[in-house]
Amino acid sequence: MAPARWFELATGDGTSVRAELPPGTYTVPRIVFDDRLVRCALAAGVTLRRHHVRRVDVRPDVVVVDGDVAGRVLIAADGANSRVRRLLGERRNPDGALAVAMRGYAP
């Protein structure tokens, strides 16, 4: 994998920003990140369950999914226009909206 040399972010109104990245900066494709995340979670003892969520019930001490799966936490890694997000009453992202996350480490 080649290091990334620059980063550019453009908004829907034409505003953009471009910056050179420090040497040795790499990006990880989403599919690779997801695979690594799942492998780490499984190694830590997490039970992976793929499921199309239809209902979320948030109670004071537990979250119940579709009436049969319960836990203290629900991690919804289903994208910017998350079905879980909408089931919790949050609006969809407007067209053209994008969330970007970056993390950097310094010596």
Side-chain angles (χ1 to χ4, degrees):
M1 177 176 359
R5 296 181 310 176
W6 51 269
F7 170 78
E8 184 171 10
L9 177 65
T11 66
D13 69 0
T15 304
S16 68
V17 90
R18 180 179 170 128
E20 289 202 29
L21 297 170
T25 300
Y26 292 85
T27 61
V28 177
R30 181 62 194 249
I31 195 164
V32 173
F33 175 80
D34 288 349
D35 180 64
R36 290 177 184 172
L37 181 63
V38 167
R39 286 175 189 261
C40 287
L42 292 172
V46 169
T47 301
L48 176 66
R49 180 175 176 181
R50 294 176 186 261
H51 180 78
H52 292 279
V53 176
R54 290 173 181 76
R55 190 174 80 243
V56 178
D57 182 19
V58 179
R59 300 177 186 169
D61 57 343
V62 70
V63 179
V64 181
V65 176
D66 292 335
D68 67 342
V69 178
R72 292 181 316 148
V73 176
L74 170 63
I75 299 173
D78 56 342
N81 287 310
S82 163
R83 178 183 185 96
V84 171
R85 173 184 170 160
R86 292 191 315 272
L87 287 169
L88 292 171
E90 298 295 327
R91 293 178 293 140
R92 260 181 92 95
N93 278 346
D95 289 341
L98 173 69
V100 175
M102 292 183 67
R103 176 175 288 183
Y105 298 92

